[in-house]
Amino acid sequence: MKKLLAICLMILSVSFVFAGGASEKDDQITLVWYQWFDAETHENELTPIIEAFEETHPNVHIELAAFSSEAYWDRLSLDIASGVEGDIITLDTGAGLEGYYAQREGGAFIPLDDYIKGYVLEDGTSLEEDIYLIDSVKKNGHIVALPYIMFTAPMTAYNKAYLEEAGIDPSELSTWEGYLAAAKALTKDTNGDGTVDVYGWGHPTYVETLSRWWHMHWLWTAGGGIFPNEEGPYTADRLIFNSEENVRAVKFLKEMLDATAPTGLRTVSDIHAMFANGSIATCQAAIWTLANFQAMMDLIMQTRSALYHSLPMGITNLFS
């Protein structure tokens, strides 16, 4: 997916040149990229993409304007109203894109259709035909963005050493009943001081933009969600959010939290850090989190090698 973002940046910057009237090859352009990714994602994902793009386009500089996910829309709304928002805007498909257009009538994105028409990646992927969710980034019949990553966390990351020590096969995590039993067995007071040292499961409990994606796959697995099969038309009469399926999923999550997870408000990043340092045995993972896990574990190895038992990490599809 890195190649998709690099191409997206290239398209936007070329559009900016045309729109801004720059004609000389060596005219210097700075594009500000609004996004909410954390420091690990900056280092492991975004910076390498930007560096590769700037090497190909030396007259263009991409500047990361980082906002927290909690403050992102407040800042974006203010800047939209002031007409000073960034040149590249990170938005969720669906609600994010619609929310932007609701605040800026007509939108401000240059259609990308002509730029990606006939564009095929080295692996044979057609940007017009083969990109997952391409229809979700169309407005008024035109493609205005390219999907970058899927935020949902349908995989389970688990500490191999912990599962082996407890005699748990990773396949036991593929059902709700099996996962609950395994998480309970993995929750331990390892030094006998009456306090849990390793939790069987970690899950975000702090309300932020990213946390909803750590909940959605549980709703979907139960047969729920927001709309049937998450397909349109997206009208109020088709909402299934208050359904038996969603209630069952939420009740199960509460049981898991009460019995096997750390207490208090925890962000997605908090859970990642706890998994990386070995204080959580399992948690859900998205594709973009894998490099973050590795970077955290590498840092732990450099500073406290005794904690490096977290590696190797196992990954399994949730409820596959």
Short mmCIF file of all heavy atoms in Angstrom, two decimals, residues 104-135:
data_model
loop_
_atom_site.label_atom_id
_atom_site.label_comp_id
_atom_site.label_asym_id
_atom_site.label_seq_id
_atom_site.Cartn_x
_atom_site.Cartn_y
_atom_site.Cartn_z
N ARG A 104 -17.03 22.04 3.58
CA ARG A 104 -16.54 22.84 2.45
C ARG A 104 -17.39 22.47 1.24
O ARG A 104 -17.15 21.48 0.57
CB ARG A 104 -15.06 22.55 2.17
CG ARG A 104 -14.53 23.37 0.99
CD ARG A 104 -13.07 23.10 0.75
NE ARG A 104 -12.20 23.85 1.64
CZ ARG A 104 -11.94 25.16 1.51
NH1 ARG A 104 -12.53 25.85 0.55
NH2 ARG A 104 -11.12 25.77 2.35
N GLU A 105 -18.39 23.28 0.99
CA GLU A 105 -19.35 23.00 -0.07
C GLU A 105 -18.64 22.86 -1.41
O GLU A 105 -17.86 23.72 -1.82
CB GLU A 105 -20.40 24.11 -0.16
CG GLU A 105 -21.53 23.81 -1.13
CD GLU A 105 -22.60 24.90 -1.12
OE1 GLU A 105 -22.52 25.79 -0.27
OE2 GLU A 105 -23.51 24.82 -1.97
N GLY A 106 -18.90 21.74 -2.07
CA GLY A 106 -18.26 21.49 -3.36
C GLY A 106 -16.91 20.84 -3.22
O GLY A 106 -16.34 20.34 -4.20
N GLY A 107 -16.34 20.86 -2.01
CA GLY A 107 -15.03 20.26 -1.80
C GLY A 107 -13.91 21.10 -2.37
O GLY A 107 -14.15 22.12 -3.03
N ALA A 108 -12.70 20.69 -2.15
CA ALA A 108 -11.55 21.43 -2.65
C ALA A 108 -10.55 20.50 -3.32
O ALA A 108 -9.44 20.91 -3.61
CB ALA A 108 -10.88 22.19 -1.51
N PHE A 109 -10.93 19.26 -3.56
CA PHE A 109 -10.01 18.29 -4.11
C PHE A 109 -10.07 18.27 -5.63
O PHE A 109 -11.16 18.31 -6.22
CB PHE A 109 -10.30 16.89 -3.56
CG PHE A 109 -10.18 16.80 -2.07
CD1 PHE A 109 -11.25 16.39 -1.30
CD2 PHE A 109 -9.00 17.15 -1.43
CE1 PHE A 109 -11.16 16.32 0.07
CE2 PHE A 109 -8.89 17.08 -0.06
CZ PHE A 109 -9.97 16.66 0.70
N ILE A 110 -8.92 18.18 -6.25
CA ILE A 110 -8.85 18.09 -7.70
C ILE A 110 -9.14 16.65 -8.12
O ILE A 110 -8.52 15.72 -7.60
CB ILE A 110 -7.45 18.50 -8.19
CG1 ILE A 110 -7.17 19.95 -7.79
CG2 ILE A 110 -7.31 18.31 -9.69
CD1 ILE A 110 -5.75 20.39 -8.07
N PRO A 111 -10.07 16.41 -9.03
CA PRO A 111 -10.33 15.04 -9.50
C PRO A 111 -9.06 14.40 -10.04
O PRO A 111 -8.27 15.03 -10.74
CB PRO A 111 -11.38 15.23 -10.60
CG PRO A 111 -12.05 16.52 -10.26
CD PRO A 111 -10.98 17.39 -9.66
N LEU A 112 -8.86 13.14 -9.72
CA LEU A 112 -7.64 12.44 -10.10
C LEU A 112 -7.83 11.53 -11.31
O LEU A 112 -6.88 10.86 -11.73
CB LEU A 112 -7.14 11.59 -8.92
CG LEU A 112 -6.92 12.32 -7.60
CD1 LEU A 112 -6.42 11.34 -6.55
CD2 LEU A 112 -5.95 13.47 -7.76
N ASP A 113 -9.04 11.51 -11.87
CA ASP A 113 -9.35 10.55 -12.93
C ASP A 113 -8.33 10.58 -14.07
O ASP A 113 -7.83 9.52 -14.50
CB ASP A 113 -10.75 10.83 -13.50
CG ASP A 113 -11.80 10.92 -12.42
OD1 ASP A 113 -11.81 11.93 -11.68
OD2 ASP A 113 -12.61 9.99 -12.30
N ASP A 114 -8.02 11.76 -14.57
CA ASP A 114 -7.12 11.86 -15.73
C ASP A 114 -5.69 11.42 -15.38
O ASP A 114 -4.97 10.93 -16.24
CB ASP A 114 -7.10 13.29 -16.27
CG ASP A 114 -8.42 13.69 -16.90
OD1 ASP A 114 -9.21 12.78 -17.25
OD2 ASP A 114 -8.66 14.90 -17.04
N TYR A 115 -5.30 11.61 -14.11
CA TYR A 115 -3.94 11.27 -13.72
C TYR A 115 -3.74 9.77 -13.59
O TYR A 115 -2.65 9.26 -13.87
CB TYR A 115 -3.58 11.96 -12.40
CG TYR A 115 -3.54 13.46 -12.50
CD1 TYR A 115 -4.56 14.23 -11.96
CD2 TYR A 115 -2.49 14.10 -13.15
CE1 TYR A 115 -4.54 15.62 -12.06
CE2 TYR A 115 -2.46 15.48 -13.25
CZ TYR A 115 -3.48 16.23 -12.71
OH TYR A 115 -3.45 17.61 -12.81
N ILE A 116 -4.77 9.05 -13.11
CA ILE A 116 -4.60 7.62 -12.89
C ILE A 116 -5.15 6.77 -14.02
O ILE A 116 -5.00 5.55 -14.01
CB ILE A 116 -5.25 7.18 -11.56
CG1 ILE A 116 -6.77 7.26 -11.64
CG2 ILE A 116 -4.73 8.01 -10.40
CD1 ILE A 116 -7.45 6.68 -10.41
N LYS A 117 -5.78 7.40 -15.01
CA LYS A 117 -6.34 6.64 -16.14
C LYS A 117 -5.23 5.85 -16.83
O LYS A 117 -4.23 6.40 -17.29
CB LYS A 117 -7.00 7.59 -17.13
CG LYS A 117 -7.73 6.87 -18.25
CD LYS A 117 -8.46 7.85 -19.15
CE LYS A 117 -9.24 7.12 -20.23
NZ LYS A 117 -9.97 8.07 -21.11
N GLY A 118 -5.41 4.55 -16.87
CA GLY A 118 -4.43 3.69 -17.52
C GLY A 118 -3.19 3.42 -16.71
O GLY A 118 -2.28 2.73 -17.18
N TYR A 119 -3.10 3.95 -15.48
CA TYR A 119 -1.90 3.77 -14.66
C TYR A 119 -1.89 2.37 -14.04
O TYR A 119 -2.83 1.99 -13.33
CB TYR A 119 -1.83 4.83 -13.56
CG TYR A 119 -0.45 5.03 -12.99
CD1 TYR A 119 0.31 6.15 -13.33
CD2 TYR A 119 0.11 4.09 -12.14
CE1 TYR A 119 1.59 6.33 -12.82
CE2 TYR A 119 1.39 4.26 -11.63
CZ TYR A 119 2.12 5.38 -11.97
OH TYR A 119 3.40 5.54 -11.47
N VAL A 120 -0.84 1.64 -14.29
CA VAL A 120 -0.69 0.27 -13.77
C VAL A 120 0.61 0.19 -12.99
O VAL A 120 1.67 0.60 -13.47
CB VAL A 120 -0.69 -0.77 -14.91
CG1 VAL A 120 -0.51 -2.17 -14.36
CG2 VAL A 120 -1.99 -0.67 -15.70
N LEU A 121 0.54 -0.35 -11.77
CA LEU A 121 1.74 -0.51 -10.94
C LEU A 121 2.62 -1.62 -11.49
O LEU A 121 2.22 -2.41 -12.35
CB LEU A 121 1.33 -0.83 -9.50
CG LEU A 121 0.46 0.20 -8.78
CD1 LEU A 121 0.12 -0.28 -7.38
CD2 LEU A 121 1.13 1.55 -8.73
N GLU A 122 3.84 -1.70 -10.97
CA GLU A 122 4.79 -2.69 -11.44
C GLU A 122 4.28 -4.12 -11.26
O GLU A 122 4.65 -5.02 -12.02
CB GLU A 122 6.12 -2.52 -10.71
CG GLU A 122 6.84 -1.21 -11.04
CD GLU A 122 8.14 -1.07 -10.26
OE1 GLU A 122 8.45 -1.99 -9.47
OE2 GLU A 122 8.83 -0.05 -10.45
N ASP A 123 3.44 -4.33 -10.25
CA ASP A 123 2.92 -5.68 -10.01
C ASP A 123 1.68 -5.99 -10.83
O ASP A 123 1.04 -7.02 -10.65
CB ASP A 123 2.63 -5.89 -8.53
CG ASP A 123 1.55 -4.94 -8.00
OD1 ASP A 123 0.97 -4.18 -8.80
OD2 ASP A 123 1.29 -4.97 -6.78
N GLY A 124 1.31 -5.08 -11.74
CA GLY A 124 0.16 -5.29 -12.60
C GLY A 124 -1.15 -4.74 -12.07
O GLY A 124 -2.20 -4.89 -12.70
N THR A 125 -1.11 -4.09 -10.91
CA THR A 125 -2.32 -3.53 -10.31
C THR A 125 -2.76 -2.27 -11.06
O THR A 125 -1.99 -1.33 -11.21
CB THR A 125 -2.08 -3.19 -8.83
OG1 THR A 125 -1.70 -4.36 -8.13
CG2 THR A 125 -3.35 -2.61 -8.21
N SER A 126 -4.00 -2.27 -11.50
CA SER A 126 -4.56 -1.09 -12.16
C SER A 126 -5.19 -0.18 -11.12
O SER A 126 -6.01 -0.63 -10.31
CB SER A 126 -5.62 -1.51 -13.19
OG SER A 126 -6.39 -0.39 -13.60
N LEU A 127 -4.81 1.09 -11.13
CA LEU A 127 -5.38 2.03 -10.15
C LEU A 127 -6.86 2.27 -10.42
O LEU A 127 -7.60 2.63 -9.52
CB LEU A 127 -4.62 3.36 -10.18
CG LEU A 127 -3.18 3.33 -9.70
CD1 LEU A 127 -2.64 4.75 -9.56
CD2 LEU A 127 -3.04 2.59 -8.37
N GLU A 128 -7.28 2.09 -11.65
CA GLU A 128 -8.69 2.32 -11.98
C GLU A 128 -9.58 1.15 -11.58
O GLU A 128 -10.72 1.35 -11.17
CB GLU A 128 -8.84 2.54 -13.49
CG GLU A 128 -8.22 3.80 -14.02
CD GLU A 128 -8.40 3.89 -15.53
OE1 GLU A 128 -7.61 3.26 -16.25
OE2 GLU A 128 -9.33 4.58 -15.96
N GLU A 129 -9.05 -0.07 -11.70
CA GLU A 129 -9.91 -1.24 -11.61
C GLU A 129 -9.64 -2.16 -10.43
O GLU A 129 -10.54 -2.88 -9.99
CB GLU A 129 -9.79 -2.06 -12.91
CG GLU A 129 -10.14 -1.27 -14.16
CD GLU A 129 -9.83 -2.05 -15.42
OE1 GLU A 129 -9.39 -3.21 -15.30
OE2 GLU A 129 -10.03 -1.50 -16.53
N ASP A 130 -8.42 -2.16 -9.92
CA ASP A 130 -8.03 -3.19 -8.96
C ASP A 130 -7.87 -2.70 -7.53
O ASP A 130 -7.51 -3.49 -6.66
CB ASP A 130 -6.70 -3.83 -9.39
CG ASP A 130 -6.81 -4.47 -10.76
OD1 ASP A 130 -7.90 -4.93 -11.12
OD2 ASP A 130 -5.78 -4.48 -11.48
N ILE A 131 -8.11 -1.43 -7.26
CA ILE A 131 -7.89 -0.90 -5.91
C ILE A 131 -9.13 -1.09 -5.05
O ILE A 131 -10.21 -0.60 -5.37
CB ILE A 131 -7.50 0.60 -5.96
CG1 ILE A 131 -6.23 0.77 -6.79
CG2 ILE A 131 -7.29 1.12 -4.56
CD1 ILE A 131 -5.05 -0.02 -6.29
N TYR A 132 -8.95 -1.78 -3.95
CA TYR A 132 -10.03 -2.02 -3.01
C TYR A 132 -10.56 -0.69 -2.47
O TYR A 132 -9.79 0.21 -2.14
CB TYR A 132 -9.52 -2.90 -1.88
CG TYR A 132 -10.57 -3.33 -0.88
CD1 TYR A 132 -11.73 -3.96 -1.29
CD2 TYR A 132 -10.38 -3.12 0.48
CE1 TYR A 132 -12.68 -4.37 -0.37
CE2 TYR A 132 -11.32 -3.52 1.41
CZ TYR A 132 -12.48 -4.16 0.97
OH TYR A 132 -13.42 -4.55 1.88
N LEU A 133 -11.87 -0.56 -2.40
CA LEU A 133 -12.54 0.62 -1.85
C LEU A 133 -12.42 1.86 -2.75
O LEU A 133 -12.68 2.97 -2.28
CB LEU A 133 -11.99 0.97 -0.44
CG LEU A 133 -12.29 -0.03 0.67
CD1 LEU A 133 -11.64 0.44 1.97
CD2 LEU A 133 -13.78 -0.21 0.88
N ILE A 134 -12.06 1.70 -4.02
CA ILE A 134 -11.91 2.87 -4.87
C ILE A 134 -13.24 3.63 -5.00
O ILE A 134 -13.24 4.86 -5.09
CB ILE A 134 -11.36 2.48 -6.27
CG1 ILE A 134 -10.86 3.71 -7.01
CG2 ILE A 134 -12.41 1.72 -7.07
CD1 ILE A 134 -9.64 4.35 -6.43
N ASP A 135 -14.36 2.93 -4.98
CA ASP A 135 -15.65 3.61 -5.09
C ASP A 135 -15.95 4.48 -3.87
O ASP A 135 -16.74 5.41 -3.95
CB ASP A 135 -16.79 2.59 -5.28
CG ASP A 135 -16.77 1.95 -6.65
OD1 ASP A 135 -16.17 2.55 -7.58
OD2 ASP A 135 -17.33 0.85 -6.81
#
